[in-house]
Structures are given as structure tokens and as C-alpha cells.
């Protein structure tokens, strides 16, 4: 693009074409998001502001961001934040990007907690990442409080930042290894994270669940997300750890609910039943995929 003053319409068309040629899945949407981030001109405003002209000095950062997107950097990382439910969460390299599929886990957990009728339910969120699940449940059910457990040194700053962004939501971050603590609790863990504490009304998780063998075939943008947040070993490692150890933190009558990948719901449900959970259920997402599995501790 020639370095002269350009209209917002011209910039939009240029960026959209750049992203189309790079093979991005949603070039029009991504171009709109970038234009809104840098100039406050979202898709709804472009018809009104499209002829507004901006200088090369003003639009160079926008073009640099568009080139990053064309090179496969996730849009969410470029923007530095992403919406989840009605929250806006900080994201970037080192943390899993919140997705609409995971909103279903929050909604399911909130529904089950309402049905249980606890006055001040406590939720344990394992593999918390950005904190979207813990914060989402607390947002949907204001009487709930949550403990968000995350191991990654790269993800923890985002988790803490997002908790700080919403001080009215009672969410606490704890650094711990979900796999190790399912067997032997690490020193320094809060007492209510130790075995047989029965301190929680719900244990929830969106754990790494993609089989390691499938990782090379993921979309290039997804491969830019942290492997630690994606790699589920054989696909069941974390579900087995949760049912094998973390259910001891549940109160009788409490429930466990997890997000699962495509084709994993029935196997996960079988693990829940084998662990003694009752009333095991499966909920589909808007795409018709079995996405959330839950069960109740007798």
C-alpha cells in the first residue's frame, strides 16, 4: 500500500485482501476487528466513517498487525484481549484463547449450582488458564466463589490480571500441578485443596484434551497457542486425573463438570460412572457436538 493518506474503507479492503491471500478463515471479520482496535471503527461504523482519511504514521501499526495476522498469529493475541460471555479477558502468548464452546461449561455449572440451591457455593476450576471458567461461573452466579488452579508460569499472569480486572467476582488463583496433586498434593497447597477436604460444591475443568498425535494437524493459529494447554496425551490423561483424585474435594451432592473434545463424551462419561458419580449427563454445544460431561457425587 502506497504511503499516503488512506481512507478507512481503503484500509479495510487492503487488509481483508491481505488476509484472504494468506488463507485466513475469516478475513472480513478479522479486518473489521483490527480496524476497530486501532481506529474505533467497527463494522457498524464503517459505512459512516469509511471516507475518513488517516495518515501513514497513524495506520502503520494497523498494517503491521495485519501482517502478523497474515503470518498466522492469532487475532486474539494481536488484540491482547477477547470477549467471553459478557467479560473481556486479557490474553496473549502463553495462555489458551477463551472460546464460545467453553461458555457452555460455565452455563452448565451455573445451572447445576442453582438447582442444588447452595447459598454460597464454592467452585474449584482446574487448568484455569485465563480464568474464563471460574470468572464466567462467578459472573453467571454471583453467590458463587471460585478457586482457579493453574500450573503454567506463562498463563498465570493472565489469570491474575483477569481476576484483578473483575474485583467484584470472588475468584482466587492458586498455582498447582493438576496431574501431580491428583496423586500427592504439593507442599504449600491451601488446606481445601488437599485430599478428602470435601470443601467444594463443584469441580470444573476445561483441561488439555487434544491427543498428542493430533497436534501437528491443528490449524496454524491453534498451533501458536501453548502446547501445555492443548496436549492431552492420549486425550484422557486429565479426565483420569480428575476422576482419580480431585473428586475427593467434592462435598456429597456436589458435581464435576468438564469440557470434552469431539468424540470424547461417552468415554469421559464412562470414567465418571466408574468413579462412582451418578446422574451422569452430556450436553451438546450449538454445533451439535457433545461438549460438556457432568456427574454428581453421592
Amino acid at each position: 500500500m502506497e504511503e499516503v493518506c488512506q481512507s478507512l474503507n481503503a484500509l479495510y479492503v487492503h487488509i481483508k485482501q491481505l488476509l484472504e491471500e494468506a488463507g485466513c478463515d475469516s478475513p472480513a471479520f478479522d479486518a473489521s476487528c483490527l480496524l476497530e482496535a486501532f481506529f474505533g471503527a467497527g463494522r457498524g461504523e464503517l459505512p459512516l466513517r469509511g471516507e475518513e482519511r488517516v495518515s501513514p504514521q497513524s495506520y502503520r501499526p494497523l498494517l503491521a498487525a495485519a501482517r502478523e495476522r497474515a503470518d498466522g498469529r492469532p487475532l486474539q493475541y494481536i488484540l491482547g484481549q477477547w470477549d467471553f460471555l459478557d467479560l473481556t479477558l486479557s490474553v496473549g502468548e502463553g495462555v489458551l484463547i477463551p472460546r464460545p464452546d467453553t461458555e457452555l461449561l460455565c452455563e452448565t455449572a451455573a445451572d447445576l449450582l442453582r438447582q442444588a440451591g447452595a447459598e454460597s457455593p464454592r467452585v474449584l476450576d482446574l487448568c484455569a488458564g485465563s480464568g474464563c471458567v471460574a470468572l464466567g461461573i462467578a459472573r453467571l452466579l454471583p453467590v458463587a466463589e471460585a478457586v482457579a488452579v493453574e500450573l503454567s508460569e506463562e498463563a498465570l499472569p493472565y489469570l491474575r490480571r483477569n481476576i484483578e480486572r473483575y474485583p467484584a467476582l470472588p475468584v482466587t488463583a492458586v498455582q498447582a500441578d493438576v496431574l501431580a496433586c491428583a496423586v500427592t498434593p504439593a507442599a504449600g497447597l491451601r488446606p481445601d485443596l488437599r485430599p478428602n477436604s470435601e470443601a467444594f460444591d463443584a469441580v470444573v475443568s476445561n483441561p488439555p484434551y487434544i491427543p498428542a498425535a493430533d497436534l501437528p494437524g491443528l490449524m496454524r493459529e491453534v498451533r501458536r497457542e501453548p502446547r501445555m494447554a492443548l496436549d492431552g496425551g492420549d486425550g484422557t490423561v486429565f479426565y483420569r486425573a480428575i476422576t482419580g483424585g480431585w473428586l475427593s474435594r467434592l462435598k456429597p451432592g456436589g458435581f464435576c463438570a468438564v469440557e470434552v473434545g469431539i468424540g470424547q463424551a461417552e468415554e469421559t462419561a464412562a470414567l465418571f460412572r466408574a468413579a462412582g458419580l451418578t446422574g451422569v449427563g452430556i450436553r451438546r454445544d450449538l454445533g451439535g457436538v457433545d461438549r460438556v460431561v457432568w456427574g454428581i457425587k453421592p
Side-chain angles (χ1 to χ4, degrees):
M1 175 171 275
E2 186 180 355
E3 285 223 335
V4 296
C5 289
Q6 299 284 348
S7 70
L8 294 179
N9 272 335
L11 288 168
Y12 171 79
V13 170
H14 174 74
I15 293 169
K16 179 173 173 287
Q17 182 178 357
L18 175 70
L19 300 183
E20 284 175 345
E21 293 172 351
C24 294
D25 276 354
S26 52
F29 174 77
D30 292 7
S32 294
C33 288
L34 290 171
L35 209 62
E36 182 173 11
F38 283 86
F39 290 105
R43 183 174 296 183
E45 291 184 279
L46 199 57
L48 300 176
R49 296 182 54 194
E51 296 309 313
E52 182 180 319
R53 301 183 74 80
V54 293
S55 68
Q57 183 176 1
S58 297
Y59 65 67
R60 282 185 200 125
L62 168 64
L63 295 183
R67 286 190 287 270
E68 288 183 0
R69 181 70 193 96
D71 287 339
R73 189 180 181 203
L75 174 68
Q76 296 87 341
Y77 289 174
I78 295 170
L79 300 178
Q81 61 184 27
W82 199 243
D83 291 341
F84 182 85
L85 295 171
D86 67 344
L87 305 169
T88 298
L89 302 178
S90 295
V91 294
E93 277 76 9
V95 71
L96 190 72
I97 296 166
R99 289 172 166 81
D101 293 341
T102 306
E103 294 179 1
L104 183 63
L105 174 60
C106 298
E107 291 162 356
T108 300
D111 288 345
L112 291 169
L113 287 169
R114 289 190 192 98
Q115 292 170 23
E119 290 186 5
S120 301
R122 302 191 68 238
V123 177
L124 180 61
D125 175 20
L126 305 175
C127 306
S130 65
C132 63
V133 173
L135 289 164
I137 293 171
R139 184 68 141 196
L140 292 169
L141 192 67
V143 296
E145 62 175 276
V147 176
V149 180
E150 177 56 51
L151 175 63
S152 168
E153 294 283 355
E154 289 72 35
L156 276 166
Y158 294 101
L159 173 59
R160 291 172 176 144
R161 194 177 308 153
N162 288 325
I163 290 173
E164 290 170 0
R165 176 177 283 193
Y166 294 99
L169 301 181
V171 178
T172 305
V174 173
Q175 184 175 20
D177 185 340
V178 168
L179 294 180
C181 294
V183 180
T184 306
L189 278 184
R190 291 168 46 145
D192 56 17
L193 291 183
R194 295 183 179 278
N196 304 314
S197 60
E198 296 189 343
F200 294 94
D201 299 273
V203 170
V204 298
S205 184
N206 174 27
Y209 56 66
I210 298 174
D214 294 346
L215 294 177
L218 296 176
M219 294 173 57
R220 61 175 184 164
E221 289 83 0
V222 180
R223 294 198 303 271
R224 298 283 284 268
E225 296 183 69
R227 183 183 180 105
M228 184 176 178
L230 300 171
D231 189 348
D234 65 357
T236 68
V237 170
F238 283 87
Y239 303 126
R240 286 187 277 110
I242 292 168
T243 56
W246 288 95
L247 297 185
S248 65
R249 279 72 168 180
L250 275 176
K251 299 175 182 178
F255 67 87
C256 177
V258 297
E259 180 176 325
V260 298
I262 295 174
Q264 295 178 324
E266 291 297 340
E267 185 175 5
T268 305
L271 288 172
F272 278 26
R273 294 186 187 99
L277 297 182
T278 62
V280 175
I282 297 173
R283 191 171 181 183
R284 290 182 175 177
D285 62 22
L286 293 177
V289 175
D290 291 338
R291 185 61 68 183
V292 174
V293 179
W294 76 88
I296 299 169
K297 183 175 180 178

